C-alpha cells in the first residue's frame, strides 16, 4: 500500500517494511516543520555590567559552543530513544547489531552524498547482504533527514513516532536493529534505521569452506567464490565446476568495467563475452551472475549468499554447466564487484 507523500524543507521521513512469504510494504513521508530559531538580546542591565567590567579591566568569560556530537553518539541516542519508547509500550528492546548498522550507515552515506535519492532505493540489496549473515523472517526500514535542529535525534525520532507508517515499524515484531547517521557538507543529517526479525532458519549450506582474510587480494577473493560455489554444488549432489582462465578473463573484464562505471551494474555486453569465449571454447549453454557489495569483512560470503537466496542466480549455480570463470574488481570507493560466467562445453 502506498500512502500519499509530502516533502518538507526542514525534515523528511520515509518508512518501508517487508516480510518473507507475504511482501508487505509500508511507505510514508511526513513533513516536519522547521524549529523556531531562537534570538538572544542583551538587556540594558547586562550591557551595563559588561561596561563596568571593561572599565575595571576585569576579564570577561565568553562561553564556547559545545562541539557537535559525533555520528556514533547520534546513532546511540536514536537507539536509546527508540528503545525507551518500546519499553513504555511494554515491548522488548531492540538489540543493536553491527552488521545491520553497516548497511544502515552505507545507505545514509549514499543519500548524504547524493549517490541515491532520499528514500529506500537499494533496500532489497541491503536485505540480501544482511541475510547472508543473519537469517531473517521480517524486515523494515525508516529514513529521515533534518538540518539546523537543536536536537536532530529528537526531531527525527519524534517525526517517526508521529507518522503511522514509521511507528508501525518501531512497534513491529523485530528483535535486531542497525542505525546509521551521516552529516554532509551542507549540514543535513541523514538517518537510516533497519529493523530485523531474526529467524531460526539456518544459512544456505555451502557458504564457507574458504573465508578470505580482510584485505585479501583479488585473486584470493575469486578463489574463495569458486570454493564456496563448488561446496554448495557438492552439498546438493552436483558435480563441481572446473575453473577456466579464458572464462575468468572475460569475467574480470566485466567486473572492472562495472567498477569503473564504463558499463552499468548488470549484464551489458553478455553476448559479446560469450562470443569471445565461444572462439576458444565451443559451448551449448551459458549463464552469468553479478553482484556488488561494500563495507564487509567477508564480501565473498555476502555475495554468494545473496546469489544462493535468489531463484534466478541459484538456477545458474545449480545449472547443467561444467566450466566457470570468476572475476572480482574493487573501485576507489571500496565497492567490490563480482562476475561469474557459467559454460556448458560441447
Amino acid at each position: 500500500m502506498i500512502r500519499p507523500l509530502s516533502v518538507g524543507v526542514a525534515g523528511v521521513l520515509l518508512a518501508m517494511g517487508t516480510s518473507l512469504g507475504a511482501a508487505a510494504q509500508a511507505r510514508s513521508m511526513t513533513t516536519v516543520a522547521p524549529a523556531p530559531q531562537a534570538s538572544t538580546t542583551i538587556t540594558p542591565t547586562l550591557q551595563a555590567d559588561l561596561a563596568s567590567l571593561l572599565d575595571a579591566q576585569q576579564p570577561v568569560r565568553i562561553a564556547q559552543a559545545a562541539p557537535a556530537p559525533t555520528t556514533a553518539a547520534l546513532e546511540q541516542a536514536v537507539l536509546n530513544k527508540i528503545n525507551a519508547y518500546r519499553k513504555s509500550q511494554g515491548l522488548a528492546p531492540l538489540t543493536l547489531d553491527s552488521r545491520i548498522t553497516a548497511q544502515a550507515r552505507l545507505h545514509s552515506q549514499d543519500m548524504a552524498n547524493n549517490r541515491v535519492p532520499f528514500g529506500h532505493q537499494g533496500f532489497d540489496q541491503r536485505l540480501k547482504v544482511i541475510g547472508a549473515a543473519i537469517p531473517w523472517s521480517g524486515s523494515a526500514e525508516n529514513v529521515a533527514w533534518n538540518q539546523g535542529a537543536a536536537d536532530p535525534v529528537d526531531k527525527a525520532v519524534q517525526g517517526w513516532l508521529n507518522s503511522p507508517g514509521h511507528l508501525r515499524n518501531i512497534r513491529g515484531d523485530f528483535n535486531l536493529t542497525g542505525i546509521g547517521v551521516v552529516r554532509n557538507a551542507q549540514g543535513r543529517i541523514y538517518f537510516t534505521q533497519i529493523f530485523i526479525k531474526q529467524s531460526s532458519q539456518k544459512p544456505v549450506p555451502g557458504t564457507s569452506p574458504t573465508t578470505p582474510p580482510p584485505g585479501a587480494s583479488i585473486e584470493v577473493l575469486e578463489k574463495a567464490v569458486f570454493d564456496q560455489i563448488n561446496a554448495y554444488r557438492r552439498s546438493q549432489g552436483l558435480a563441481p565446476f572446473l575453473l577456466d582462465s579464458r572464462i575468468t578473463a572475460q569475467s574480470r573484464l566485466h567486473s572492472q568495467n562495472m567498477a569503473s562505471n564504463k558499463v552499468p551494474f548488470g549484464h551489458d555486453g553478455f553476448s559479446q563475452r560469450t562470443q569471445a569465449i565461444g572462439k576458444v571454447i565451443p559451448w551449448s549453454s551459458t549463464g552469468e551472475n553479478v553482484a556488488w557489495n561494500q563495507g564487509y569483512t567477508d564480501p565473498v560470503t555476502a555475495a554468494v549468499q545473496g546469489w544462493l537466496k535468489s531463484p534466478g542466480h541459484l538456477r545458474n549455480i545449480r545449472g547443467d554447466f561444467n566450466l566457470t570463470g570468476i572475476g572480482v574488481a574493487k573501485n576507489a570507493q571500496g565497492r567490490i564487484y563480482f562476475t561469474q560466467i557459467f559454460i556448458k562445453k560441447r
Side-chain angles (χ1 to χ4, degrees):
M1 176 178 180
I2 300 178
R3 299 179 179 274
L5 305 180
S6 62
V7 179
V9 173
V12 187
L13 313 166
L14 282 177
M16 174 177 284
T18 66
S19 61
L20 292 180
Q25 297 188 0
R27 186 180 182 90
S28 64
M29 183 182 288
T30 63
T31 301
V32 180
Q37 297 184 353
S39 61
T40 303
T41 302
I42 301 178
T43 64
T45 302
L46 179 57
Q47 290 175 340
D49 291 341
L50 289 174
S52 63
L53 286 171
L54 290 172
D55 288 342
Q57 296 185 346
Q58 305 240 352
V60 179
R61 291 179 178 265
I62 301 175
Q64 300 267 343
T70 65
T71 52
L74 296 177
E75 290 167 355
Q76 183 62 46
V78 171
L79 178 69
N80 293 344
K81 285 182 178 292
I82 293 295
N83 275 342
Y85 173 81
R86 284 178 63 92
K87 183 177 180 181
S88 74
Q89 302 298 303
L91 302 170
L94 301 172
T95 299
L96 191 67
D97 188 285
S98 60
R99 297 163 294 183
I100 307 172
T101 288
Q103 283 300 303
R105 283 177 179 164
L106 283 173
H107 186 51
S108 288
Q109 287 169 1
D110 283 345
M111 291 189 294
N113 295 326
N114 293 317
R115 287 194 287 263
V116 299
F118 175 72
H120 299 288
Q121 184 171 312
F123 183 52
D124 289 344
Q125 179 69 24
R126 290 190 284 285
L127 293 181
K128 283 182 181 179
V129 176
I130 292 169
I134 305 170
W136 57 268
S137 57
S139 63
E141 180 178 79
N142 285 349
V143 295
W145 71 261
N146 59 57
Q147 184 176 14
D151 187 342
V153 168
D154 186 67
K155 191 176 189 67
V157 173
Q158 287 301 317
W160 287 340
L161 293 175
N162 291 331
S163 161
H166 299 88
L167 183 60
R168 189 180 308 118
N169 291 340
I170 291 170
R171 294 178 56 90
D173 182 21
F174 305 111
N175 52 7
L176 301 180
T177 193
I179 299 161
V181 178
V182 173
R183 182 188 289 108
N184 69 12
Q186 291 72 44
R188 284 189 176 185
I189 303 177
Y190 288 80
F191 300 80
T192 301
Q193 180 169 17
I194 299 174
F195 305 84
I196 292 292
K197 171 70 171 180
Q198 187 174 23
S199 72
S200 58
Q201 172 189 355
K202 294 182 179 179
V204 177
T207 58
S208 193
T210 300
T211 298
S217 68
I218 292 301
E219 291 77 11
V220 169
L221 297 178
E222 291 170 349
K223 182 63 163 57
V225 172
F226 178 69
D227 289 343
Q228 291 196 19
I229 293 295
N230 271 345
Y232 173 79
R233 284 180 64 90
R234 290 189 186 97
S235 76
Q236 303 298 302
L238 302 171
F241 294 128
L242 297 177
L243 192 65
D244 189 286
S245 61
R246 297 163 293 181
I247 308 172
T248 289
Q250 289 296 317
S251 299
R252 283 179 180 163
L253 182 60
H254 185 51
S255 288
Q256 289 166 0
N257 286 339
M258 290 189 293
S260 59
N261 291 318
K262 291 180 181 176
V263 299
F265 175 71
H267 299 286
D268 277 19
F270 180 56
S271 296
Q272 290 86 342
R273 289 189 287 283
T274 55
Q275 286 174 9
I277 292 168
K279 292 178 180 179
V280 292
I281 305 172
W283 55 263
S284 57
S285 60
T286 64
E288 180 179 79
N289 286 348
V290 296
W292 73 263
N293 58 53
Q294 184 177 14
Y296 291 91
T297 55
D298 187 355
V300 168
T301 298
V304 172
Q305 280 289 325
W307 286 341
L308 291 174
K309 293 181 179 180
S310 163
H313 297 89
L314 182 60
R315 191 177 307 116
N316 286 338
I317 292 170
R318 293 178 59 91
D320 183 22
F321 305 110
N322 49 18
L323 300 180
T324 193
I326 298 160
V328 177
K330 185 176 182 179
N331 66 15
Q333 291 72 46
R335 288 188 175 185
I336 303 176
Y337 288 80
F338 301 80
T339 302
Q340 181 169 16
I341 297 176
F342 308 85
I343 294 290
K344 174 63 181 286
K345 184 178 180 181
R346 284 205 305 260

